[in-house]
Amino acid sequence: VGAMQAQLHTNIKDPLERLRAIKKSLDDAKAYIDTPLVRIVGLPGALPPAIAKPLARAYVRNKLTRYLPMGQATVITNVPGPPFDLYCAGARMVTYYPLGLINPGLGLFHAVFSYGGKISVTILADRDQMPDPEFYRQCIDAAWDELRGALLGPQPKTPARRAAKPKTAKAR
């Protein structure tokens, strides 16, 4: 278990170039995973919510991000699941939906879990920082389709994915 900071490179349009840049950022970040610098990342989560939430709001409200940026836009956690089936009272678990926590000042949490040949992604959002999480979900689906298409070529869309085409930001 560890924490590291990396860039998602959302500024890179080409999905394959973006993926390579993210991988490099993660590889570079791994060099610091066992250093004291990593512990600073978890500091806001160490405070009780009754203290941390007002501090985070004051931090944002007073625009202190210009002088002392938190440096985190989201948390992404990845937990590989077991390579074998799990059972409870004789029933096989079909799907697992991972969860996470949103710390004060952090408005987005991505939890990724693999099980049974599937990957489940759960995204939690603070409505103060992301008033329309459905639009974000549509963007994630579109980015996935774009990356998959770049890697595997055009794929037929399933009925559920056809309806997930993102609206433009101007429509918001």
Side-chain angles (χ1 to χ4, degrees):
V1 175
M4 61 183 167
Q5 287 188 314
Q7 295 199 11
L8 297 178
H9 295 284
T10 57
N11 59 316
I12 300 174
K13 183 163 178 56
D14 181 85
L16 296 177
E17 286 181 40
R18 184 172 53 243
L19 186 60
R20 281 190 281 275
I22 293 169
K23 172 136 180 22
K24 182 178 180 335
S25 182
L26 288 168
D27 289 345
D28 292 348
K30 287 176 187 175
Y32 296 99
I33 201 158
D34 290 327
T35 68
L37 294 173
V38 170
R39 291 182 185 88
I40 295 170
V41 173
L43 188 59
L47 298 173
I51 295 171
K53 195 162 188 172
L55 285 174
R57 284 190 175 143
Y59 176 82
V60 172
R61 184 177 50 251
N62 293 313
K63 299 181 181 172
L64 296 177
T65 54
R66 290 183 290 175
Y67 308 106
L68 183 63
M70 283 185 174
Q72 290 178 291
T74 186
V75 167
I76 303 170
T77 184
N78 175 29
V79 180
F84 49 84
D85 289 339
L86 296 177
Y87 292 84
C88 180
R92 186 177 66 84
M93 182 170 77
V94 178
T95 303
Y96 180 84
Y97 296 99
L99 292 175
L101 299 172
I102 297 178
N103 291 327
L106 180 72
L108 195 57
F109 191 102
H110 299 80
V112 181
F113 185 82
S114 61
Y115 171 72
K118 296 185 211 173
I119 295 177
S120 298
V121 179
T122 303
I123 301 170
L124 302 172
D126 180 341
R127 289 284 182 136
D128 290 339
Q129 295 183 37
M130 183 178 290
D132 190 356
E134 174 60 19
F135 176 66
Y136 182 68
R137 186 197 65 82
Q138 292 170 355
C139 292
I140 293 289
D141 285 347
W144 169 254
D145 289 342
E146 181 183 44
L147 178 60
R148 185 175 179 178
L151 289 169
L152 304 175
Q155 300 290 310
K157 292 191 179 208
T158 63
R161 296 300 289 242
R162 279 188 211 116
K165 188 175 180 182
K167 300 170 189 170
T168 63
K170 291 180 184 179
R172 299 269 154 224

